[in-house]
Amino acid sequence: MHLQQPIKFIAVILFLLWSHLSFSQSDSVEYVYYKYRTEPTPYFTLGEFKRGVSDEKLKYSLDSLELKPRTQWTRQDSLEFARISLETGNMSLSEYYFENLHVDIRKEENFWFDHLMIHYLNEDYEGGLEEIKHESPMIIQYSKIYFFRKIFNAKIGQRDNSKWYKENSVLGWELDSTIKELPKDSEEFNSEIITPLRNLEYVLKRLIVFVHEDDPIIAATCREMGVIIEYYLNYSHAYIAYSLGRHYNIWDKQILENLNEVKSKLSENNYKIPNFRKYFPRIEEWKFDYNVLKEKVMSAANDTNVYVKPETMAPEEDPIINFPHQYVVLGGILLLIILLAIILKPVKK
C-alpha cells in the first residue's frame, strides 16, 4: 500500500535526527545535580497533625455501637459514645456521659483527655484546671497533663489581656546548654528532651483536631516548641512547628522571625525546606450530614429498647447528565473510529 512507504520514510528521518542530536550533544551536555538534600533527623520527627475526624472513622464507630441495644452497652461502649458525641460537636451530651462515667486518667487516659477538651472548647478554663487539680494534684514536669495545665493558664491570661502571649511564655521551658551537650541517644537526653517533646506533641494534636480558627495561645505554644526543637535537635521540624504557629496567628511577628531564621539555616546547610502540608493536611469535606448525625446521636442516648440505624449520609444530588454515561463513552469511541478512518484512508491511483 502507498500508506506504508511514507510511514517508513518518516520513521527513518526521525531516527537519523535523534541519532544526530544524541551524538552532537554528548560532549557538550553538563549534568547539574540538585544540591539540596533532606536533613537527617534520627532522634525526633513530628507526625501528622490531623484536623477533624474522618467520616469513615465516625461511621465505623457508630456502626459498631448500633450492633447492640443501648441496654447492653458496656462501659467501653459508653465511653466510645461520649467520644463520638464530642467529635460530632455535641459537647453537652459528651460532658453528661463523661461526668457520669467518672473517667480514670490512669486506666482511661485518652478518654480523660477527651473530657478535658470539652472544657477547652467551651472556654471553661477554670473548670479545666479544677479537673486537672482533682485528678492529679501532683504533676510531673513536662508531662502531658503539665502542658495542658500550662495552656489552660495561658488561655486565662490571654482572655484578660489580649497581648499576654507577647509578654509571657506559655510553657516556661528554658534552654539548657548542659543538656544540649549530652549524647542524643543517651537515656538522660531522652528523658529531658525527647519524652517531653512527645508529650507536648500529643497535647497539640489533641487541640488541633478540634481548633481550626485563629488561636494565639496554640500559636505561641507551637513557636516555643519550635525553639526547643531547633536548639536541641534539628531545623526541619523546628520549621514545621513554627509553620503551625504561623497558621494559628499570622500576625505574630516573633513567629515570622523564627520561621525566616530557620529557613535561612536550612538553606545554608543545603537542606530542603520541608513540605508543611504533609504534616498539616487540609480539612477534608465530610460526606456526613452532621445536623442529622447529632440528632441521631441524641436519640441513641435516649433509646433504651430499639436502636434505629442512623441515616448519617447526606442525600445524593441528582446527576447533571440525565442519560446513561455509557452513551457518552460509546459516542467518543465511534467518533475516534471515524477520525482514524479519514486519516488512514488509502490514496487511490
Side-chain angles (χ1 to χ4, degrees):
M1 293 177 63
H2 290 282
L3 182 62
Q4 294 178 346
Q5 292 180 353
I7 291 176
K8 290 181 179 179
F9 178 75
I10 292 171
V12 171
I13 294 298
L14 290 173
F15 174 76
L16 292 173
L17 180 61
W18 174 81
S19 300
H20 173 73
L21 289 173
S22 298
F23 285 112
S24 62
Q25 293 183 5
S26 60
D27 295 332
S28 60
V29 172
E30 294 183 4
Y31 294 96
V32 179
Y33 294 96
Y34 189 59
K35 68 176 182 177
Y36 292 102
R37 58 192 177 90
T38 302
E39 180 183 15
T41 55
Y43 303 105
F44 181 82
T45 58
L46 291 169
E48 182 182 82
F49 289 79
K50 295 181 179 179
R51 306 169 69 195
V53 183
S54 71
D55 54 353
E56 289 300 323
K57 181 181 177 182
L58 279 175
K59 184 177 186 302
Y60 176 81
S61 299
L62 283 172
D63 288 345
S64 299
L65 287 175
E66 72 180 11
L67 292 177
K68 62 177 78 173
R70 170 67 181 82
T71 53
Q72 297 179 16
W73 279 7
T74 64
R75 176 179 175 81
Q76 185 69 20
D77 292 331
S78 297
L79 287 168
E80 285 291 339
F81 184 77
R83 177 182 58 79
I84 293 171
S85 300
L86 171 63
E87 291 171 348
T88 58
N90 200 332
M91 288 182 284
S92 60
L93 180 60
S94 180
E95 172 72 8
Y96 172 80
Y97 266 73
F98 279 132
E99 284 291 337
N100 285 279
L101 289 167
H102 304 291
V103 185
D104 186 346
I105 189 174
R106 287 163 290 277
K107 298 178 181 178
E108 300 158 331
E109 181 184 72
N110 287 335
F111 289 115
W112 191 87
F113 282 116
D114 282 334
H115 187 195
L116 195 61
M117 277 304 306
I118 296 173
H119 292 287
Y120 189 93
L121 297 173
N122 284 331
E123 299 184 6
D124 178 24
Y125 309 123
E126 289 83 1
L129 290 172
E130 281 296 320
E131 186 74 24
I132 289 172
K133 183 178 180 181
H134 176 267
E135 191 63 34
S136 184
M138 300 295 292
I139 298 177
I140 300 173
Q141 188 180 39
Y142 303 149
S143 62
K144 295 171 185 175
I145 199 168
Y146 169 90
F147 287 126
F148 260 118
R149 187 180 66 175
K150 284 288 188 180
I151 290 171
F152 273 105
N153 278 317
K155 291 296 289 187
I156 293 173
Q158 180 69 17
R159 185 180 59 196
D160 298 335
N161 175 14
S162 62
K163 297 182 179 180
W164 185 93
Y165 70 93
K166 296 181 179 181
E167 304 163 356
N168 300 273
S169 168
V170 176
L171 305 177
W173 192 342
E174 297 183 357
L175 304 179
D176 189 333
S177 59
T178 59
I179 296 176
K180 186 177 183 179
E181 298 302 319
L182 293 172
K184 298 295 186 290
D185 57 354
S186 67
E187 186 69 28
E188 186 177 357
F189 187 84
N190 183 75
S191 63
E192 293 287 342
I193 301 300
I194 303 300
T195 298
L197 279 174
R198 289 296 175 208
N199 290 336
L200 179 56
E201 181 185 17
Y202 175 92
V203 171
L204 284 171
K205 284 182 176 180
R206 281 275 170 174
L207 294 167
I208 286 172
V209 165
F210 296 102
V211 182
H212 310 308
E213 304 298 329
D214 289 354
D215 191 314
I217 297 304
I218 290 181
T221 304
C222 291
R223 188 194 75 80
E224 292 179 33
M225 183 188 203
V227 170
I228 297 298
I229 297 173
E230 180 180 354
Y231 184 75
Y232 291 107
L233 290 156
N234 58 72
Y235 301 131
S236 295
H237 290 272
Y239 171 86
I240 298 300
Y242 294 143
S243 298
L244 283 169
R246 184 155 173 77
H247 174 85
Y248 281 99
N249 189 359
I250 196 172
W251 308 109
D252 191 325
K253 295 181 180 179
Q254 183 60 58
I255 294 176
L256 180 60
E257 183 179 326
N258 289 127
L259 190 59
N260 289 334
E261 286 178 358
V262 82
K263 284 175 69 175
S264 296
K265 292 176 182 178
L266 284 164
S267 297
E268 289 170 6
N269 288 276
N270 293 331
Y271 291 143
K272 295 179 182 178
I273 304 297
N275 179 7
F276 175 57
R277 192 57 66 188
K278 174 183 175 182
Y279 299 90
F280 192 69
R282 299 183 186 280
I283 302 173
E284 294 183 5
E285 293 184 6
W286 294 345
K287 299 176 184 177
F288 277 89
D289 185 335
Y290 279 95
N291 290 325
V292 174
L293 180 57
K294 281 191 278 188
E295 291 178 7
K296 297 302 180 182
V297 168
M298 283 292 291
S299 66
N302 298 324
D303 180 21
T304 57
N305 296 309
V306 180
Y307 190 85
V308 180
K309 183 174 182 178
E311 297 291 337
T312 56
M313 301 301 288
E316 294 184 3
E317 297 180 358
D318 294 331
I320 298 175
I321 301 176
N322 294 320
F323 54 87
H325 295 280
Q326 293 88 339
Y327 291 172
V328 177
V329 177
L330 290 174
I333 294 174
L334 181 60
L335 180 61
L336 181 61
I337 292 173
I338 293 172
L339 291 173
L340 288 173
I342 293 173
I343 295 171
L344 300 178
K345 183 178 179 181
V347 180
K348 294 183 179 180
K349 293 183 180 180

